[in-house]
Amino acid sequence: MVLTALVLGAVGYFEGPKWPLIIGGVFAVWFALALAVVRSRGGRGRKAIERAYIATFGWAEWL
């Protein structure tokens, strides 16, 4: 998530606030959808949030 925030900050610095807001909104929607899927499959509490976080930002572990 920190890497995403840094990249969005850099994009905002060079391109203005339009693209970081759009991209940040996409990440927020993706997280909300992932959380809804995890909750619908029986995930509860902190574990559901952790799984949705990994689904949204887990790609950063490969960098």
Side-chain angles (χ1 to χ4, degrees), residues 30-48:
W30 182 262
F31 179 81
L33 287 173
L35 185 59
V37 168
V38 169
R39 299 252 318 144
S40 72
R41 294 185 177 179
R44 297 286 180 248
R46 181 173 173 89
K47 195 67 170 174

Side-chain angles (χ1 to χ4, degrees), residues 4 8 20-35 56-57:
T4 303
L8 289 177
L21 289 174
I22 292 170
I23 296 168
V26 168
F27 274 104
V29 168
W30 182 262
F31 179 81
L33 287 173
L35 185 59
T56 305
F57 299 106

